Amino acid sequence: MKKVLLITGIVIVAIFAVLLTAPLLFKDEIKQLVLNEANKQLNATIELEDVNISFIRSFPNASIKLENLLIVGKDEFAKDTLVSVQGAYIVVDIKSFFGDTGYIVKKIELTKPNVYAHVLPNGKANWDITKPDTAAVEKTDTAQTNFKLSLKKFEISNAHIRYNDEQANMSFAINDLNHTLSGDLTAESTVLATTNSLKGMTFRMQNVPYLNNAEFKLEGDIDADLKNMKFTVKGVHTSLNAIVLNLDGWFQMLENGGYDMDLKLGAPDTQFKDILSLVPAIYSKDFSDIQTKGKVRLDAFAKGIYNETTFPAFHVNLEVSDAWFKYPALPKSVDNINITAKVDNPGGSLDNTKVNVAPFSFVLGGNPFSGSLSVATPMSDPDLTFAAKGIINLGMVKDVYPMDSIGELSGVLDADLSLKGKMSYYEKQQYEKFFFTGKLNLADMILKTTALPNALEIKKASLLFNPKTVSLPALQIKVGKSDLAANGSLTNFIPFVLKNQTLKGTLNTSSQYLNVSDFMAASDPAAPEATDTSAMTVVLIPNNLNFTLNSSFKEIDYDNIKISNAQGNLQIIDSKLIFKNLSMAAMGGTMALNGTYNTQDAKSPDVNMNLKINNVVFAEVYKQVATVQKLAPIFQNTTGKFSTDMSLQTRLGDNMMPVMNTLSAKGVLSSNDLSISNVKVMNTIATVLRKDEFKNPHINKVAIPFEVKNGRVYTSPFSFAVADTKINVDNGSTGIDQTIDYTLHADVPTPEASVVKLNKLGLKIGGTFSSPKVSLQTKELVNEAVNTLKTKANEKLGEVKTAAKEQLNEATENAKEELKENVGNELKQAGKDLKESGKDALKGLFKR
């Protein structure tokens, strides 16, 4: 975070260096100079919408206003906006423009600054964008501009700060930060008056929320020794949610880049209710009405040097004794709350930290529950001791805590857990040194909530713990009409909980009936009706699970797709769900599936499948699969079954539906018996060919090679027969926009007596599926007819010539002349006959 502020400072200094040395330049020229100067120092994209300089607005001072400043990362951080500032307003003593003692900045206001600090899993940070010579440039520019801060006011309003460390699995966020600071920063010593407030402070580590939407305030005076960069506070008041704290001591910035400190934090007036404000669920629900009682002590200190290798000594102590709390509107209270929690570190290394929580106990509905925790050497080799024991009657939870969204809650949770040992013992499988045993049982649980359309019932759930494994002897769940049973075992459980390492295991799951919609959030009855798919969201596969699932489901209802006898092997690993030899009956036939569902890119998951489908019903596929409705609407009017062996790849959108321009598939669709009825394109073909059997064609056998890409289904050449007509489809495609484009030839039989056979009629099909356009390829037909006539004429003339030659050889010399005349007459007559036959044939052709 320190470096983020440094980068922001570089940009501001670069802006000031140009603006204050050239205040009379044109605005556009100033803006470009600002961007050029900033880009010299940062390996990032700098944007600035507008710059204004005024000698009137803050007269007798000059004012500078910057609008919409952006610093955006590059390469792997190209989507990260590191810093954005809606507005920056700076007031400068106008006399300092004309003097030689430097520029005196009197006021800085930042409006809606946003900071996003991001660390990738490989440790690279998005704020490491300063160029190699930045430090030298900074020194030179600072000396030249010679700034002096004599602030009357420094203000930040409505700031938002986010820190996301993927390597440490840690995140921190602040919303609505407001800060003011005033003081003469040109003096060797001064008093700085400051007020700070923020809302929505959230801190998560290893997926555990330590703070959630917390509120923080700090105000008071700070004695600043600016020559030695030492800041002393006394009686500065701070608050975290309802806890009011007093801060005393001093803090010093060292020349070597580290810090020295001696700070004490006390909370002499803290009540147990204030402690409860740190519990997010309690602080957000009718907190002001809670009745509490109990003794509380809270104090902390930090003393020593902090730098990259050394930590100061620190101590935190919290003691709660004989406490209870109760919501006035509810019948029961949580009683006998006792907590002693200490965190100690003598200094030097963070690995010297010791955490001890003992006791931690309370009584709920007459049932006591207690636990303890101690941690040593947390960084190098966590040495753990943990215990939890007690019974919680879930039916009493609603009696002590208001839960408007919960209609019914019952059941009994029985816990008895003990753990002791070093993490290294566990990792080296030295289980004789690592003690871990216990049970966690849940029985007869019923949960009715507005988040689910049906009640969740857990008849039995049991976990048994030992150093090697966590076994699940039985799990029985029922939601609505759906049931689910499971058993199996887990390994690597402790590193999963403490270090977010991969949890491994094998589970056997089964169900008699599973309706996926039973497990989805219930819709708002007042909201407009929506389809099931529109309500779906991307299902993410965790990256720290390595599960093998052996599944057997008798009946599944998934988004209107009815599936039965689903069996196979599924593996969850590296944010992927891998299907292995998954078989099922669906849509009137059977399916076999191998492939992956990959959510490594959480915003755009992808599917890569190989499908073997046998004898599924055309109409059922159309009814149950939305993609088929878009790419193959003819399925709706087709009766019969088909089979296919295909590969499929696609990205999925937010609603778990394929992104059509990324969908690709390839295979062969085959059917041995199908009929098509009431399809406009077939009716049009029937009219053109004058073949009524094409209006409701019956096809005995067809095999169609196809490929899906760029939102269209492309077919390779294939053929089929309708009655006595054979159709050869050369190529074609159907689009998601319902457009069609096909070229085909029809072998139409003609009477044997016809001189010209009307076969291989070329057809061009275009338009849309609902409004097709079919045309004959007339030029091709005429050429074929002419060629046929030529062939027939040549054959006839050849016959006449051969007969004449034979007769001439036998005739006497005196008869030759007469024979020649007769032959000539026969040839003329044959030519006339062929010509008339050809005319009749062509007339018949064009009547079609």
Side-chain angles (χ1 to χ4, degrees), residues 116-357:
Y116 177 49
H118 183 194
V119 180
L120 295 176
N122 61 10
K124 188 171 182 180
N126 69 343
W127 60 81
D128 287 333
I129 57 175
T130 52
K131 294 181 179 179
D133 60 344
T134 299
V137 174
E138 285 181 41
K139 292 179 181 179
T140 302
D141 288 350
T142 303
Q144 290 174 353
T145 54
N146 194 16
F147 281 100
K148 290 184 179 180
L149 295 180
S150 180
L151 291 177
K152 299 299 181 184
K153 186 178 183 182
F154 176 70
E155 181 177 357
I156 299 175
S157 61
N158 198 22
H160 299 269
I161 299 172
R162 287 191 302 146
Y163 175 74
N164 180 21
D165 190 333
E166 294 186 66
Q167 186 181 51
N169 193 18
M170 178 176 64
S171 63
F172 178 74
I174 292 176
N175 295 321
D176 298 325
L177 168 65
N178 294 281
H179 166 76
T180 62
L181 177 71
S182 62
D184 184 2
L185 297 184
T186 61
E188 290 189 354
S189 63
T190 187
V191 176
L192 302 176
T194 183
T195 61
N196 303 269
S197 67
L198 60 90
K199 298 178 180 179
M201 183 165 62
T202 300
F203 175 66
R204 298 177 66 92
M205 179 179 287
Q206 303 296 327
N207 297 321
V208 177
Y210 291 92
L211 287 175
N212 186 29
N213 289 322
E215 298 182 12
F216 177 80
K217 293 181 181 179
L218 183 149
E219 61 181 21
D221 293 339
I222 301 173
D223 290 332
D225 178 357
L226 298 179
K227 181 178 180 180
N228 298 303
M229 295 304 291
K230 184 176 181 179
F231 304 89
T232 302
V233 296
K234 186 175 183 180
V236 171
H237 299 292
T238 68
S239 66
L240 180 62
N241 286 348
I243 298 179
V244 178
L245 305 167
N246 293 329
L247 180 65
D248 293 285
W250 54 268
F251 178 87
Q252 184 175 17
M253 301 175 66
L254 304 177
E255 293 183 359
N256 60 6
Y259 307 94
D260 195 5
M261 67 193 74
D262 187 358
L263 297 171
K264 295 179 181 179
L265 199 64
D269 299 322
T270 299
Q271 304 297 315
F272 179 62
K273 185 175 181 178
D274 303 332
I275 299 298
L276 286 180
S277 72
L278 296 180
V279 181
I282 293 180
Y283 188 63
S284 63
K285 189 67 179 176
D286 301 330
F287 180 74
S288 60
D289 298 331
I290 296 178
Q291 299 172 352
T292 67
K293 188 177 181 180
K295 298 178 181 179
V296 176
R297 178 184 175 187
L298 175 63
D299 57 79
F301 74 78
K303 184 176 182 178
I305 293 176
Y306 170 73
N307 54 37
E308 293 182 355
T309 59
T310 303
F311 276 81
F314 58 87
H315 164 82
V316 179
N317 178 59
L318 170 65
E319 296 179 13
V320 176
S321 58
D322 300 324
W324 62 270
F325 75 88
K326 181 181 182 300
Y327 285 88
L330 298 178
K332 296 184 182 298
S333 60
V334 179
D335 303 307
N336 297 335
I337 302 172
N338 291 278
I339 304 170
T340 299
K342 297 180 183 294
V343 180
D344 287 290
N345 188 309
S349 171
L350 200 58
D351 200 39
N352 295 329
T353 303
K354 292 183 178 181
V355 178
N356 187 56
V357 181

Side-chain angles (χ1 to χ4, degrees), residues 521-536:
S523 60
D524 184 354
E529 185 176 353
T531 61
D532 289 342
T533 54
S534 65
M536 296 176 65

Side-chain angles (χ1 to χ4, degrees), residues 425-710:
Y425 297 159
Y426 187 92
E427 293 173 341
K428 295 176 182 178
Q429 299 183 1
Q430 296 175 337
Y431 299 125
E432 70 280 3
K433 297 181 180 180
F434 192 91
F435 177 79
F436 184 31
T437 186
K439 65 178 182 177
L440 192 62
N441 294 328
L442 179 63
D444 300 322
M445 174 181 165
I446 298 177
L447 173 63
K448 292 183 180 179
T449 172
T450 56
L452 291 174
N454 299 289
L456 169 66
E457 300 180 34
I458 300 180
K459 184 66 177 177
K460 184 178 182 181
S462 181
L463 289 173
L464 300 179
F465 299 86
N466 64 56
K468 294 182 180 180
T469 62
V470 177
S471 60
L472 177 68
L475 173 64
Q476 297 174 5
I477 300 175
K478 186 175 181 181
V479 180
K481 296 180 180 180
S482 300
D483 64 89
L484 180 66
N487 61 74
S489 63
L490 308 174
T491 60
N492 212 44
F493 181 77
I494 300 299
F496 170 75
V497 174
L498 298 179
K499 292 189 174 182
N500 201 36
Q501 292 184 9
T502 300
L503 178 65
K504 303 176 183 179
T506 299
L507 293 176
N508 303 306
T509 58
S510 62
S511 173
Q512 294 297 307
Y513 175 76
L514 188 67
N515 189 332
V516 176
S517 63
D518 285 342
F519 295 86
M520 298 178 66
S523 60
D524 184 354
E529 185 176 353
T531 61
D532 289 342
T533 54
S534 65
M536 296 176 65
T537 57
V538 170
V539 178
L540 298 179
I541 308 298
N543 63 359
N544 58 349
L545 295 181
N546 185 351
F547 278 0
T548 297
L549 303 176
N550 300 309
S551 303
S552 176
F553 295 86
K554 188 173 182 180
E555 188 176 355
I556 301 174
D557 188 344
Y558 174 71
D559 194 32
N560 295 324
I561 298 177
K562 309 296 182 181
I563 299 171
S564 61
N565 297 325
Q567 300 183 58
N569 177 276
L570 296 93
Q571 185 177 11
I572 299 174
I573 185 171
D574 295 335
S575 298
K576 294 184 292 186
L577 178 61
I578 302 174
F579 302 89
K580 294 182 178 180
N581 301 319
L582 183 64
S583 63
M584 67 191 75
M587 295 174 281
T590 62
M591 299 182 182
L593 172 65
N594 287 278
T596 61
Y597 167 64
N598 188 339
T599 65
Q600 290 175 337
D601 183 350
K603 296 181 180 179
S604 183
D606 65 76
V607 172
N608 191 329
M609 298 288 184
N610 289 309
L611 297 164
K612 190 174 183 65
I613 301 173
N614 290 313
N615 294 321
V616 295
V617 178
F618 282 98
E620 289 297 317
V621 175
Y622 177 86
K623 182 169 61 177
Q624 298 182 31
V625 184
T627 304
V628 172
Q629 296 171 13
K630 297 178 180 179
L631 291 174
I634 197 171
F635 277 36
Q636 183 182 18
N637 302 89
T638 303
T639 59
K641 297 183 176 182
F642 72 90
S643 300
T644 185
D645 194 346
M646 63 179 289
S647 61
L648 180 148
Q649 301 84 36
T650 186
R651 294 275 182 180
L652 298 180
D654 292 338
N655 58 358
M656 289 292 286
M657 296 298 292
V659 179
M660 297 309 296
N661 62 355
T662 70
L663 175 65
S664 64
K666 193 172 185 179
V668 177
L669 183 148
S670 61
S671 178
N672 293 325
D673 187 16
L674 65 92
S675 297
I676 303 172
S677 61
N678 196 28
V679 176
K680 287 186 177 181
V681 66
M682 299 307 298
N683 292 340
T684 306
I685 292 174
T687 300
V688 172
L689 294 179
R690 303 183 70 179
K691 290 277 193 178
D692 287 343
E693 54 265 37
F694 273 84
K695 291 183 179 179
N696 297 293
H698 178 81
I699 301 171
N700 288 326
K701 190 173 184 179
V702 66
I704 307 173
F706 67 90
E707 183 176 4
V708 180
K709 56 183 179 181
N710 300 323

